[in-house]
Amino acid sequence: MKVIGLAGNPNTGKTTVFNLLTGSNQYVGNWPGVTVEKKEGFFELNGEKIKVVDLPGVYSLYAYSIDEKIARNFIVNENPDCVVVIVDASNLERNLYLVLQILELGKKVVVALNMMDIAKERGIEIDHETLSKILGVKFVPMVASRGEGLEELKTAIKETMAGEAFSFRMDYGKLEPYIEKLEKCIPETSFPSRFVAVKVLEGDPEFMKKTESEEIESVIEEVKKEIDEPESYVTERRYAFIHGLVRECTRKKPGIEDKLNVSDMLDRVLTHPLLGIPLFLFFMWLAFQIIFKIGSPFADILDRAFGWFGEIVGNALSRMGAPYLLISLVKEGIIAGIGSVVVFVPNIFLLFLVFSFLEDSGYMARAAFVMDRLMHVVGLHGKSFIPMLLGFGCNVPAIMATRTLESEKDRILTILINPLMSCSARLPIYVLFASAFFPAHQGWVVFSLYFLGIVLAVLMGRLFKNVFFRGESPPLIMELPPYHIPTWRNVFMPAWTRTKLFLKKAGTVIFAGVVVIWLLASLPPGVEYGSEESLIGLLGKKLAPVLSPAGFGFWQAAVALIFGIVAKEVVVGTLGTLLGGEEMLREALKTHFTPLSAYAFMVMCLIYIPCIASIATIKQEAGWKWAIFSVVYSLVLGWVVAVLIYQIGKIF
Amino acid sequence: MELTRRLEEYLEVIFLIAKEKRVVRVKDLVERLGVRAPSVVETLRSLEEKGLVVHERYGHIELTERGRKRAKEVYKKHGIIKEFFEEVLKLPEEVAERDACVIEHYISKETLDRLLKFIKFIKECPGEEPFWLSGFQYYLETGKKSSLCRRTGESLTLSDLNPGERVRIVRIEKKELRKRLGTMGVFPGVEVEIMGKGPFGDPIELKVKGSKLALRSDEANCILVEREGT
């Protein structure tokens, strides 16, 4: 199968083009073992199925961040049949910088000149044919948000794949003789030697390491005698070339340029020094209202539907004379297990919908902007705020989102405190307990838990920063893309693929967890389901004394917490199975918990051990050492805070 | 003639008290130095033996000509050190005074000379106070590097500007930053407009060639700019 890669700067409408090409025929890569959110999709071109890989948005191929490394390694090592570079036509100079570097890799390239409408608004006319002639690759004008230019793009891809790769040669002026020398002494890599030579002159850390030799060092020394800063010289040469190119191929209508556009006016308000943060908090509040006010009725319907279905199947089985154990497995294990997963879909889908909306509208970057100063307090920067925010949805994609941070210190720090952002899987626990014990103040109780998580994240962030990651914070350079009204497709598609990812994870891990509980609760054979004599009961009894200072020192709570490690929402299911079915659960809880110990229990659920999926992701991103550390510290912290709350609360 | 630290201190104190009150008694020394009378008397005896002080039993204490000269020397040292602490290191007066009192008796002549020359050098620098010294004060107060730490006092950086100003980039310090900004289209010669500042004055929002970027003031501080038409 032929493969094409989509490359481009961030915010050039790359995702829009991806969605346009693939429609609903796309999926997000499975998180274990996969780099950044790797989106892949398929489309048909003259009856031939073609795979499209959406590469991370980057500004250059200099290995500054993991994203950049991924993009360039994909282009070189996976050797796609065609690379489509999406370019923002209204910002041609900066975008061409990446195009040039991709061209230098000597692959088959098509450039999509996206956002032609915005360019026109700004009075920029682009002669794409001359651009094509000079650079030797096809330039296709597009307005991806309206679907314009799609057919032309497909045609260009087809023609380019059929043709030969054009090897573009950038003239680096005074550096040329040195590039030649370097090419001779550079060890063979999968990259073109000229590309590597230029990257070495640019001081690319990855290539510097790979090509370390005295010979190369002496050439660099020589260069530095003639040119002070070779890396700046390279940048200058490229921009000088681009500048000439743009002057030749674009015309600007005078007079339109300096008008304040809508984005600027919005930014006056949204990034206002005083209004910025309150507005941001308001939007967050609004987001949570949407997620819960709209989502919960649907969740209730699903909940009831599964209960009803379980009854029907159970009755049918018993009429057929199935053994008790089987009926129990199907009803309490399988159907209840699937149900406990599916019930969260409405809330989670809405959450992802809201975040996709914020991302696509351009507001997410502003949120990072206004929050930067505050994040600085924790020793992180505004960009870390986005993974933290995503953590409210699910810590797994959130931890993966930390890859956009350049500095490893920042990444690990953000990963470590991320599980303190209360993910959506913990919500059912809060909802259950809050509705049972604090029916009049549910909203406030849930909010207080989220808030506690944030406060702890700040404190832990500071602590870890001072203990593990002393030293300066890396620079913050962040683009604030123009605002635009998100298209339904751009909001819906990512929300849906992320929800699918959740369902997949839920469908396997959580379902397995529920079945394992059922087994542990039913074994050894002959014991009453989930009783004290079952395996699970014995385990819980051993642990209960440790939990009693926190007010929930009974074996059912201990068991629920153990299984909460599988996935936090399993806590609810476990309590349900151990204390009595879904309907009676609220009543049953009241006999075991006081409002105070219920709160302490919720706090424990907030903090203790990230779920299996999160631990796996932390291991993947930061290694075993940090994954284990994360488990240990959260367990200790959760216990300490729960005990403090219970003991202090008892005084009043 | 070598004097111990204690004897030097006595000479200086007698000199100072004499300047204030004309007459100096054992009681004054007891008060000023916080020691007991018998030990004052004993020290005075040893100063008398060296011919630096005249002290009649139960009477006034007076410095001899040589004693006065010696005391003045010590006092001058004190002045130089105190001035260095106060003017250059920007320490509060009490601290400068207290530490000068201790150091003056130990400091070598060479170091003292150098301090003296350094202070003279600063004072004679054209203008009021050298820019880097103001920069140092700013650094002490805020913990941040000041834009005044540049080669010339007048260099303008992005962080010095107000929203609405348009400037041209002259130079970007720090290699990583230069490269990073370069890939985003920000390099010397490019025009930049300050769009606004975030809550608490940080980060700074810029417009470069139609696209907007956010930078922290730490980074903005490394970007030297000039106003249009200069």
Side-chain angles (χ1 to χ4, degrees), chain A residues 273-287:
Chain A
L274 292 176
L275 296 175
I277 292 178
L279 278 170
F280 167 72
L281 293 177
F282 169 73
F283 290 136
M284 286 301 103
W285 176 82
L286 200 65

Side-chain angles (χ1 to χ4, degrees), chain A residues 1 21-22 25 27 40-44 49-52:
Chain A
M1 188 175 11
L21 276 173
T22 59
N25 204 350
Y27 57 92
E40 293 180 336
F42 298 93
F43 73 103
E44 290 217 349
K49 201 175 179 192
I50 289 172
K51 183 163 132 181
V52 192

Side-chain angles (χ1 to χ4, degrees), chain A residues 388-517:
Chain A
M388 301 303 276
L389 213 53
L390 286 173
F392 288 128
C394 176
N395 298 123
V396 172
I399 290 166
M400 291 177 65
T402 58
R403 291 206 169 188
T404 51
L405 302 169
E406 285 91 16
S407 137
E408 176 153 17
K409 286 183 194 172
D410 268 10
R411 229 180 303 139
I412 292 175
L413 190 54
T414 312
I415 287 171
L416 285 181
I417 60 177
N418 200 287
L420 290 170
M421 299 287 102
S422 189
C423 70
S424 52
R426 276 166 264 187
L427 188 63
I429 306 173
Y430 309 154
V431 171
L432 173 69
F433 279 83
S435 65
F437 293 95
F438 310 95
H441 307 285
Q442 283 189 50
W444 281 109
V445 168
V446 175
F447 181 77
S448 74
L449 288 160
Y450 278 88
F451 191 73
L452 177 68
I454 296 169
V455 170
L456 286 171
V458 170
L459 294 176
M460 288 295 116
R462 290 208 69 136
L463 180 72
F464 295 152
K465 175 96 181 167
N466 285 324
V467 176
F468 303 122
F469 312 109
R470 285 159 198 240
E472 250 179 89
S473 320
L476 166 101
I477 306 165
M478 188 174 55
E479 198 184 350
L480 304 174
Y483 291 99
H484 67 264
I485 298 166
T487 59
W488 169 242
R489 196 194 280 265
N490 275 359
V491 173
F492 182 81
M493 287 308 300
W496 177 236
T497 40
R498 284 170 183 168
T499 308
K500 271 201 293 195
L501 187 70
F502 171 82
L503 267 177
K504 213 160 143 194
K505 165 201 152 197
T508 52
V509 182
I510 302 175
F511 177 67
V514 173
V515 174
V516 170
I517 292 178

Side-chain angles (χ1 to χ4, degrees), chain A residues 368-382:
Chain A
F369 179 83
V370 295
M371 293 308 287
D372 182 65
R373 203 56 241 259
L374 292 178
M375 292 304 285
H376 216 102
V377 174
V378 199
L380 292 170
H381 63 50

Side-chain angles (χ1 to χ4, degrees), chain A residues 59-60 62 64 68 91 93-94 97 122 202 229 231-232 235 239 258 261 263-264 267 271-273 277 366 369-370 372-374 376 380-382 406 472-480, chain B residues 144-145 166 172 174-188 193 195-219:
Chain A
Y59 294 101
S60 83
Y62 172 81
Y64 196 90
E68 281 156 7
N91 201 339
E93 273 189 48
R94 197 192 67 199
Y97 192 80
R122 293 199 188 155
E202 281 186 272
E229 294 161 353
E231 73 278 0
S232 302
T235 312
Y239 273 113
D258 292 332
N261 55 43
S263 276
D264 291 341
D267 269 342
T271 65
H272 189 275
I277 292 178
R366 272 71 180 186
F369 179 83
V370 295
D372 182 65
R373 203 56 241 259
L374 292 178
H376 216 102
L380 292 170
H381 63 50
E406 285 91 16
E472 250 179 89
S473 320
L476 166 101
I477 306 165
M478 188 174 55
E479 198 184 350
L480 304 174
Chain B
K144 285 184 203 143
K145 257 188 268 167
R166 273 161 191 267
I172 299 172
K174 283 192 189 165
K175 188 174 156 188
E176 262 332 294
L177 187 67
R178 188 159 57 229
K179 291 193 58 62
R180 199 70 220 285
L181 285 170
T183 66
M184 299 174 88
V186 183
F187 50 92
E193 186 183 345
M195 298 302 286
K197 292 187 177 184
F200 317 110
D202 209 3
I204 296 168
E205 188 185 336
L206 306 173
K207 199 171 196 175
V208 186
K209 292 183 184 166
S211 60
K212 286 191 200 167
L213 293 179
L215 285 181
R216 281 220 190 103
S217 49
D218 289 354
E219 275 79 57

